[in-house]
Amino acid sequence: MQVKVKWLDQVAFVGETDSGHAVVMDGAPDAGGRNLGARPMEMLLLGMGGCTSFDVIAMLKKARQQVLDCEVTVEGARAETVPKVFTDIHVHFRVYGHELSEKQVGRAVGLSAEKYCSASLMLGASSKVTHDFEIIEGPAPR
C-alpha cells in the first residue's frame, strides 16, 4: 500500500491513494492554513473510525444481526508539547437496528479493538484507547 502527498500551497496538501482517491488536508488559519480540508491528525482518527466500523459491521452481519446503521465518534486528546501525539482516544459506537444482541455488539466492538482493527492497535501502542457502545432500536435519525 502506498499513498502520495503533494504540497499545494501554504499548509495545504492533497493526498492520493493507490486505489485512486484523493483528499485535501489543510491547516487551521492560525497555522497559516485556509481551512480547505481536514487536518492530518483528524485524518488519523477518521482512519481509525473507518477501520473499526468496517470490522464491527462485518462481524454483526456475519452474526446475522439486523443492523440498519452505525455511527462512530472518535475523540482524541493530544499531548500539550511537541510531538503532540494522541495520549487518549475514545471510540463510541451507536449501532442502530432491530433486536440487536448486546452480547454480539459488545463482542464485535471488543474483537475489533483487541484483534482486528489495525489502526486501533497501532494507535493503541502509543495512547490509551477505550471503546463503548450503545444500541438503538430502529433506524438512525436523518
Side-chain angles (χ1 to χ4, degrees), residues 8-142:
L8 296 174
D9 65 8
Q10 295 171 308
V11 294
F13 301 86
V14 65
E16 298 175 7
T17 67
D18 271 348
S19 58
H21 300 280
V23 62
V24 174
M25 296 173 281
D26 195 11
D30 64 356
R34 291 178 292 160
N35 203 28
L36 297 175
R39 310 296 181 261
M41 293 299 283
E42 290 174 328
M43 296 294 294
L44 288 173
L45 294 182
L46 280 172
M48 180 181 178
C51 183
T52 192
S53 295
F54 185 98
D55 294 339
V56 168
I57 292 298
M59 284 185 264
L60 292 175
K61 284 185 174 185
K62 188 174 181 179
R64 293 181 167 55
Q65 294 293 295
Q66 295 181 55
V67 180
L68 298 175
D69 209 340
C70 180
E71 298 172 346
V72 177
T73 303
V74 183
E75 187 173 345
R78 294 177 65 187
E80 303 256 339
T81 58
V82 174
K84 294 183 179 183
V85 299
F86 288 112
T87 56
D88 296 275
I89 299 172
H90 182 71
V91 183
H92 178 74
F93 287 86
R94 276 181 220 86
V95 185
Y96 298 82
H98 295 300
E99 300 176 9
L100 295 173
S101 162
E102 187 169 340
K103 180 180 177 183
Q104 289 291 341
V105 173
R107 181 177 184 274
V109 169
L111 282 171
S112 176
E114 297 164 12
K115 186 174 182 180
Y116 293 110
C117 179
S118 305
S120 293
L121 292 164
M122 192 167 33
L123 288 170
S126 62
S127 60
K128 179 183 174 194
V129 178
T130 56
H131 296 77
D132 66 5
F133 66 91
E134 61 184 299
I135 297 171
I136 301 164
E137 182 65 26
R142 295 289 168 195

